[in-house]
């Protein structure tokens, strides 16, 4: 490479040049975006990570450079020397950062040629995602993707600067650790030295960051890779990055205050948005009561209303039976929704069935009265009560779900989010944050016949609920908190259990006996006996946060080398087979070979 460049040194990035550089000699290097021959003059758009600048090659100025330019094609790698000049009148391009200038080229070197790429490297080409992922090295040249990844870099820089200023230490935790499957599946790594045993890639640094607090480091942070072998969605990846934090001698309010100030700084410095502080808070019970979910999107209204008391003795047995059977009936007013067609309503009914609901009842509020297949079952008082509870007006559509607490809230809450997008109710330029607090500590799993932790088993109960662990553990609330932004959970954490007895009680309630607890978590339990301070922390999803900042719908757009929804890398073709010699060294024999 040194022979090709010789004594040439790049002086500027292409996208940094403007009118202030007119008359200056520059040396640029990059990729050819496009080449245009105007019957003598040749124009080349040269691109690097910072942008595009126009090159002008005149055969009278440098015949040799002009001849080389005639051979250049898209994605050739070139270096040029020349002078920055103002574009001729009528050719300025105000849409480009460099639109006032062009480079009068005196020397050109072709550093490498290129095959014709399978898609155009520009902002506007519609390319199938599988093609983009297969040729990711070309996809990453696209300006939009480069801007997104540079934004990600800015976010990580801001985060590190903030935490350093707040006294946090960035400390690394192990990637090769012990499998403690509780929730998502672990990625396992076989040990060659200790055949028959396995490491696990961490789903979270949780145990180690708690150990760091026991060790007296007081404030820890890490931007860390984590791994979960689970089914994927648009906002999930098998490997993902967390902004991981832990603090000693703190209560919940202090953790939330420090963390929301960090988020506010990220938004201010990364995209120029001021986030009002303090951020609002809402209990889990309020969030589920008003919105059906614990990650409410507050950019639009349309809240859920419990009408169980109004319809508890209704002639419509679907409603009255649900209430009398211990369930509930909730409704939602879709303002102006009376214009939806019967097919639209059928589609909404199919949507709620995804979340366990048996169907969706509806009422159209028309000028001449209510229109609905179920209206004949309601008394005048019930109609009036429902209308008042839902602030029903002419033109509205009222929708209802009757079932168990979980199904009603899940179905209507998800439907609310779906309609927010479908009906254009969301203010796309808004950023609405809310801390959701006071989650249930435990929930009963009917399949395994035991309690499971709502967050994780190291979350502390609320002080006033500790006694409930012995009497009614399902009612105990957790010192847990999630930060929700525009309907997405971007961070979650808790104050941790720092008392050995309470931690052992949690394991007991989850059906984890002393022997199993010792095998899986023995080192933590022992550490808690050596003076563990009160501590708590949180982890933010860096990928998801960047996705929101970049205003993109796919998490794969903010990761340089993402996996597909089948957890494969189309570029490197991972995962792949290994040869028999490697398997023998690991003491592993495959039952079958993949086809």
């Amino acid at each position: 490479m040194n022979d090709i460049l010789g004594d040439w040194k790049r002086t500027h990035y292409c996208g940094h040049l403007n009118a202030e550089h007119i008359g200056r000699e520059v040396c640029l290097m990059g990729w050819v975006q496009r080449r245009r021959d105007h019957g003598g003059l040749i124009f080349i758009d040269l691109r690097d990570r910072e942008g595009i600048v126009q090159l002008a090659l005149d055969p009278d100025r440098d015949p040799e450079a002009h001849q080389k330019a005639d051979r250049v094609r898209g994605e050739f790698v070139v270096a040029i020397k020349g002078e920055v000049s103002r574009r001729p009148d009528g050719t300025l391009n105000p849409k480009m950062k460099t639109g006032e200038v062009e480079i009068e080229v005196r020397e050109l070197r072709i550093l490498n040629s290129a095959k014709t790429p399978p898609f155009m490297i520009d902002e506007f080409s519609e390319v199938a995602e599988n093609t983009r992922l297969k040729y990711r090295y070309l996809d990453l040249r696209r300006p939009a993707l480069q801007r997104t990844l540079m934004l990600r870099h800015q976010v990580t820089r801001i985060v590190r600067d903030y935490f350093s200023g707040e006294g946090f230490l960035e400390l690394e935790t192990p990637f090769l650790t012990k499998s403690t499957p509780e929730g998502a599946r672990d990625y396992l790594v076989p040990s060659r030295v200790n055949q028959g045993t396995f490491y696990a890639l961490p789903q979270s640094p949780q145990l180690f960051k708690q150990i760091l607090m026991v060790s007296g480091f007081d404030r820890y942070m890490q931007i860390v890779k984590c791994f979960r072998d689970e089914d994927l969605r648009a906002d999930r990846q098998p490997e993902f990055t967390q902004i991981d934090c832990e603090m000693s001698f703190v209560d919940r309010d202090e953790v939330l205050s420090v963390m929301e100030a960090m988020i506010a700084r990220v938004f201010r410095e990364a995209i120029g948005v001021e986030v009002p502080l303090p951020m609002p808070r809402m209990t889990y019970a309020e969030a589920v009561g008003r919105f059906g979910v614990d990650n409410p999107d507050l950019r639009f209204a349309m809240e859920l209303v419990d009408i169980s008391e109004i319809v508890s003795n209704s002639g419509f047995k679907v409603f009255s039976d649900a209430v009398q059977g211990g369930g509930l009936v909730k409704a939602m007013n879709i303002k102006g929704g009376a214009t939806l067609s019967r097919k639209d309503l059928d589609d909404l009914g199919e949507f709620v069935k995804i979340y366990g609901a048996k169907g969706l009842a509806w009422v159209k509020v028309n000028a001449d009265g209510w229109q609905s297949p179920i209206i004949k079952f309601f008394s005048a008082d019930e109609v009036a009560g429902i209308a008042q509870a839902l602030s029903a007006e002419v033109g509205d559509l009222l929708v209802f779900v009757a079932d168990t607490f979980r199904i009603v809230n899940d179905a209507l809450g998800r439907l609310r989010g779906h309609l927010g997008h479908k009906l254009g109710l969301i203010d796309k330029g808004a950023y609405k944050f809310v801390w959701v607090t006071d989650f249930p500590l435990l929930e009963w799993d009917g399949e395994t016949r035991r309690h499971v932790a709502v967050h994780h088993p190291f979350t502390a109960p609320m002080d006033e609920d500790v006694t409930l662990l012995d009497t009614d553990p399902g009612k105990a609330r957790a010192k847990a908190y999630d930060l929700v932004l525009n309907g997405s959970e971007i961070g979650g954490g808790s104050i941790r259990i720092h008392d050995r007895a309470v931690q052992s009680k949690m394991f007991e309630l989850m059906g984890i006996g002393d022997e199993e607890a010792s095998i899986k978590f023995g080192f933590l339990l022992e550490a808690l006996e050596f003076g563990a301070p009160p501590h708590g922390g949180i982890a933010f999803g860096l990928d998801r946060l960047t996705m929101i900042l970049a205003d993109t719908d796919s998490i794969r757009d903010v990761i340089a080398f993402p996996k597909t929804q089948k957890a494969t890398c189309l570029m490197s073709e991972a995962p792949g087979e290994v040869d028999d010699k490697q398997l023998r060294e690991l003491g592993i024999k495959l039952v079958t070979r993949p086809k």
Side-chain angles (χ1 to χ4, degrees), residues 307-315 370 375-390 400:
I307 62 165
S308 301
E309 187 173 342
I310 300 172
V311 299
S312 60
N313 295 307
S314 167
W370 284 20
I375 189 62
K376 59 187 176 184
F377 297 105
F378 296 119
S379 68
D381 286 344
E382 287 168 344
V383 169
I386 294 170
Q388 182 177 1
L390 293 172
F400 310 80

Side-chain angles (χ1 to χ4, degrees), residues 439-442 461 465-466 468-469 472-478:
F439 283 83
L441 182 69
L442 298 158
D465 291 355
V466 171
L468 290 174
L469 299 183
D472 196 352
K475 290 186 177 179
R477 294 164 301 156

Side-chain angles (χ1 to χ4, degrees), residues 43-56:
F43 293 96
I44 291 174
D45 291 340
L46 189 66
R47 184 192 72 244
D48 59 24
R49 76 177 199 193
E50 298 296 328
I52 296 174
V53 70
Q54 178 173 283
L55 313 180

Side-chain angles (χ1 to χ4, degrees), residues 552-581:
T552 180
D553 294 327
S554 173
I555 205 166
R556 291 184 288 277
D557 289 340
V558 300
I559 299 172
F561 300 103
K563 302 292 190 295
T564 68
Q565 288 191 322
K566 293 185 178 180
T568 62
C569 174
L570 297 182
M571 184 185 72
S572 66
E573 299 184 336
E577 295 185 47
V578 297
D579 61 38
D580 290 333
K581 180 172 182 271

Side-chain angles (χ1 to χ4, degrees), residues 121-178:
I121 313 296
D122 61 24
E123 302 268 19
F124 311 106
S125 296
E126 291 292 332
V127 186
E129 186 177 48
N130 280 1
T131 302
R132 291 175 51 204
L133 294 178
K134 178 176 174 60
Y135 298 97
R136 190 62 166 180
Y137 42 85
L138 297 177
D139 195 31
L140 287 169
R141 292 182 189 174
R142 297 172 72 171
L145 201 52
Q146 290 193 337
R147 284 195 300 271
T148 299
L149 291 176
M150 286 191 276
L151 172 63
R152 181 186 177 113
H153 161 75
Q154 291 297 329
V155 172
T156 58
R157 178 190 60 77
I158 295 163
V159 167
R160 283 193 167 99
D161 287 349
Y162 173 82
F163 280 123
S164 180
E166 293 292 322
F168 285 76
L169 304 175
E170 185 164 8
L171 303 170
E172 293 183 346
T173 51
F175 272 13
L176 296 177
T177 182
K178 189 175 183 178

